Amino acid sequence: MDGIHDMGGRQGFGRVRYALKAQTFHEPWEKRINALYSLAVKAGIFNMDEYRHAIERMEPRHYLSASYYERSLTSLATLCVEKGILTQEELERRAQGQFPLSMPSAPGRVNVPTRQTFKPGDKVRVRTDHVPGHVRMPGYIRGKAGVVVSESPKYPFPDAHAHGIHAEDEPTYDVRFNAGELWPNDADPAHVHVGVFQSYLERVS
Amino acid sequence: MPDNIHFRLNTASVEARVDAIQAAFEERGMKPAEFIDEFRELAEEKWLPENGARVCARAWTDPAFKARLLANGRDAVAELGLTMPAHHRHLVVLENSANLHNVIVCTLCSCTAFSIIGLPPDWYKDLEYRARVVRQSRTVLKEMGLELPALTEIRVWDTTADTRYMVLPMRPSGTEGWSEEKLAGLITKDMMIGVARIAGT
């Protein structure tokens, strides 16, 4: 989905709020929620792709105003409700207030049937698919051309794995893009490397 | 937007919401308190940037190890007793040089090789870094205190899959004969993310 989480290349943001030796956690509850979603993954309630997708499905105003760990909390609660482990009523009764959850999921998809294999040096283009469910293709590479630099081991296909659909594992290709082609006339010169699933790519002849 | 105001006024605090889930898990026999203690120990004592620093120092002093590290990071760090979660199937180590600088990001969320370089710092997961570093890499690095020479090539690595990255900094001159431990002391989490370099490199 072309969600609010797809931040790469968006304009209008100010300086990174950087500090030397910055902390990962600021409040004790943040560590607890990180542990609780890890526990849910370990218990097999959901997988990491489902977890990421439930964050992406947060209502956009909520996503943007929530801290990182509030997003974790919202994803965990949403999935526990969707899987029938908890109900929103129980959560709101216990929390004594509203407990906002993410928006419902759109359907996922299986691997692209015409997917091709590539080798380092191949010129590729990112397909111009618009996917209603989970996808790990950042919008800034859609339709853009790059060069394959290497291949990873096979992973579960996130577009299916986030939706409980069976699909074949696929490799990701490390594809090198030129920032000047991703954002013509408006990017600092650089190469941008993205791990792109096989189903998202087609060969450029 | 009346709906939005309604949403803000009546929402339980984040702490109350975490408590609610924890209590519900407790009631279902999932033993969340024990797991939180285990997690705290991992986060505070195991997933530390000192792990990655040790990997880098070994790569600086042992060329055969460095070759294995660059070929297959996951297997090479295992030689030092370091493990990665099962779903991190690949660790790609990115070597900086005088003319090349690597920097990592996850524009879609916050993915990192956290068991090796430590859990990501707050700014790494925040909107500004995720939005800007892919498009304005040189500007963002400069704002963060790293001014690169004009001719240095920048490579930005977006962690969109479960392949994880870490940057191997350049070994500074004048460190010949140093122990691995002393060399490791030069390396920080920010250097392995790629928003800092060792002075003089």
Side-chain angles (χ1 to χ4, degrees):
Chain A
M1 61 184 277
D2 292 329
I4 199 72
H5 67 283
D6 188 0
M7 306 292 310
R10 285 184 193 271
Q11 295 177 291
F13 287 97
R15 293 170 78 99
V16 176
R17 299 170 197 201
Y18 177 65
L20 283 173
K21 297 189 176 172
Q23 298 301 302
T24 298
F25 300 100
H26 295 274
E27 303 283 343
W29 67 266
E30 297 177 338
K31 221 171 261 181
R32 282 198 288 139
I33 201 65
N34 199 329
L36 290 170
Y37 93 70
S38 305
L39 172 60
V41 171
K42 200 177 172 192
I45 297 173
F46 52 81
N47 64 47
M48 286 303 295
D49 286 304
E50 292 174 298
Y51 168 74
R52 293 186 189 117
H53 189 44
I55 291 178
E56 296 161 6
R57 292 191 274 123
M58 285 172 69
E59 197 279 324
R61 276 175 300 212
H62 188 194
Y63 182 97
L64 284 176
S65 60
S67 70
Y68 177 76
Y69 291 103
E70 186 181 349
R71 299 200 291 266
S72 290
L73 161 71
T74 307
S75 172
L76 170 61
T78 299
L79 290 166
C80 285
V81 169
E82 289 176 352
K83 304 276 184 181
I85 308 288
L86 310 171
T87 65
Q88 190 167 14
E89 292 70 31
E90 177 187 356
L91 289 172
E92 295 194 331
R93 178 175 51 76
R94 289 184 186 273
Q96 298 188 315
Q98 286 187 357
F99 199 131
L101 301 178
S102 303
M103 309 285 276
S105 182
R109 63 169 186 171
V110 296
N111 320 82
V112 170
T114 55
R115 65 191 197 278
Q116 301 158 293
T117 55
F118 307 102
K119 59 183 190 310
D122 284 354
K123 288 184 181 159
V124 290
R125 186 177 299 281
V126 180
R127 294 173 192 262
T128 53
D129 293 349
H130 290 78
V131 178
H134 184 57
V135 63
R136 290 296 284 184
M137 179 210 71
Y140 68 82
I141 63 170
R142 179 183 282 131
K144 301 290 183 176
V147 177
V148 171
V149 175
S150 65
E151 178 178 339
S152 80
K154 289 183 177 182
Y155 293 104
F157 185 50
D159 307 32
H161 202 227
H163 297 268
I165 296 171
H166 181 73
E168 287 177 37
D169 288 3
E170 356 182 300
T172 57
Y173 294 95
D174 167 5
V175 180
R176 176 183 298 184
F177 299 91
N178 190 324
E181 291 175 19
L182 298 175
W183 300 282
N185 310 315
D186 196 31
D188 289 353
H191 285 118
V192 179
H193 288 247
V194 183
V196 189
F197 278 86
Q198 189 178 25
S199 278
Y200 307 162
L201 288 171
E202 59 192 359
R203 194 180 313 279
V204 175
S205 48
Chain B
M1 298 286 286
D3 280 344
N4 198 29
I5 292 163
H6 184 71
F7 168 83
R8 300 278 165 234
L9 288 179
N10 297 302
T11 302
S13 73
V14 277
E15 248 178 313
R17 281 179 274 160
V18 176
D19 289 346
I21 295 184
Q22 188 175 338
F25 279 9
E26 192 71 57
E27 199 175 274
R28 284 157 178 79
M30 291 169 67
K31 300 192 189 304
E34 288 85 337
F35 195 82
I36 288 167
D37 287 342
E38 278 174 40
F39 177 85
R40 196 172 278 136
E41 192 183 323
L42 286 169
E44 290 170 5
E45 292 169 30
K46 298 274 189 249
W47 298 334
L48 299 175
E50 286 77 4
N51 298 335
R54 201 153 61 88
V55 171
C56 295
R58 174 66 61 89
W60 286 346
T61 54
D62 180 344
F65 176 78
K66 180 174 152 185
R68 293 196 296 279
L69 182 69
L70 295 176
N72 185 329
R74 204 183 143 96
D75 286 356
V77 300
E79 294 177 32
L80 304 187
L82 299 172
T83 56
M84 299 178 69
H87 71 281
H88 295 182
R89 294 185 184 174
H90 198 33
L91 175 68
V92 177
V93 177
L94 312 164
E95 187 183 14
N96 280 350
S97 69
N99 306 315
L100 173 64
H101 184 78
N102 294 285
V103 56
I104 64 176
V105 62
C106 174
T107 61
L108 298 173
C109 46
S110 65
C111 301
T112 46
F114 59 79
S115 64
I116 308 299
I117 70 170
L119 287 162
D122 46 17
W123 54 263
Y124 182 91
K125 301 175 284 190
D126 213 343
L127 308 177
E128 288 84 1
Y129 185 74
R130 288 167 49 200
R132 293 183 60 209
V133 78
V134 279
R135 182 162 175 174
Q136 295 182 285
S137 48
R138 185 174 290 272
T139 306
V140 168
L141 292 172
K142 188 178 171 186
E143 287 174 4
M144 295 174 78
L146 178 62
E147 189 157 4
L148 294 167
L151 292 176
T152 300
E153 179 192 341
I154 299 176
R155 291 184 190 161
V156 186
W157 300 77
D158 192 353
T159 315
T160 44
D162 277 323
T163 289
R164 301 305 160 103
Y165 305 101
M166 69 177 273
V167 177
L168 173 60
M170 268 180 78
R171 179 174 180 168
S173 57
T175 58
E176 295 75 16
W178 283 28
S179 68
E180 263 183 53
E181 196 182 353
K182 192 172 175 189
L183 288 167
L186 295 170
I187 299 160
T188 66
K189 185 190 287 185
D190 289 359
M191 291 169 189
M192 293 182 283
I193 292 173
V195 297
R197 282 173 84 108
I198 299 171
T201 67

